[in-house]
Amino acid sequence: MPRLKRRRPIRGNYPRTANDVIDPPMIFKPEAANVVAEFARSKPWRGDQITKRHTLHNALSKAYGVNPTMQFGFGMGSFYDPKKRLIMLATTSVITQLHEFAHALNGSDEEYAVRWSLNMFRNHFPLSFSRLTFKGHLAIKPMGKPLKK
């Protein structure tokens, strides 16, 4: 019986903490910053989130002149496959989408992807960013309010 290949755990140059990559003067391509600003104004957590994520993806791709494809595969984990030029998202997390898009721009450099995604998110979603807590470099969103009985 053939053995299944196991995906090796990802070991990259992840920053130890988010503070290691929060970079207030970080400059983004103006077209990309405008795209994310427009996305923020669209209230991305309301309405059809999947369509809004695809709109963001297509606009960022155009702004940077790249053409990765993006799919949602809930339960599969989020990653960028450079051979297929495929961004696979397991969640509608904006930070995750920005992180994986950063890989499409700059390859497997984890520090760059974390720096680019966290700073872009912080610039355009300052209130949401202020509510995050961090475990190392990972952003953890706060638990929702309990349901009323």
Side-chain angles (χ1 to χ4, degrees):
M1 177 174 243
R3 294 181 70 181
L4 296 175
K5 281 188 178 181
R6 286 190 186 175
R7 251 173 81 175
R8 289 191 287 169
I10 297 171
R11 299 196 201 305
N13 59 328
Y14 288 99
R16 283 185 320 107
T17 70
N19 285 334
D20 293 343
V21 294
I22 297 301
D23 190 4
M26 187 169 187
I27 297 184
F28 297 95
K29 191 171 186 176
E31 297 91 337
N34 291 340
V35 161
V36 178
E38 180 67 27
F39 175 70
R41 286 190 294 274
S42 80
K43 307 275 189 215
W45 294 283
R46 294 185 189 158
D48 185 354
Q49 293 186 39
I50 302 298
T51 298
K52 289 180 180 183
R53 296 311 188 276
H54 280 289
T55 300
L56 172 64
H57 172 77
N58 293 336
L60 279 173
S61 295
K62 184 177 179 183
Y64 280 101
V66 296
N67 196 22
T69 56
M70 184 183 78
Q71 296 176 3
F72 284 91
F74 297 107
M76 296 180 60
S78 297
F79 59 89
Y80 175 66
D81 182 335
K83 290 180 183 171
K84 295 180 182 176
R85 298 179 48 89
L86 170 68
I87 295 170
M88 180 62 74
L89 297 174
T91 174
T92 56
S93 163
V94 174
I95 294 174
T96 300
Q97 181 176 0
L98 293 171
H99 178 92
E100 299 307 336
F101 189 84
H103 282 304
L105 294 176
N106 205 46
S108 63
D109 186 340
E110 290 296 343
E111 183 175 343
Y112 174 85
V114 173
R115 179 182 306 276
W116 191 89
S117 58
L118 287 181
N119 283 288
M120 183 70 88
F121 186 82
R122 186 176 66 103
N123 286 358
H124 297 286
F125 298 92
L127 182 59
S128 294
F129 186 85
S130 73
R131 293 176 177 157
L132 295 173
T133 57
F134 290 90
K135 184 175 182 182
H137 72 280
L138 295 173
I140 312 293
K141 79 176 176 181
M143 296 298 288
K145 294 179 184 176
L147 295 174
K148 293 182 181 179
K149 288 188 177 186

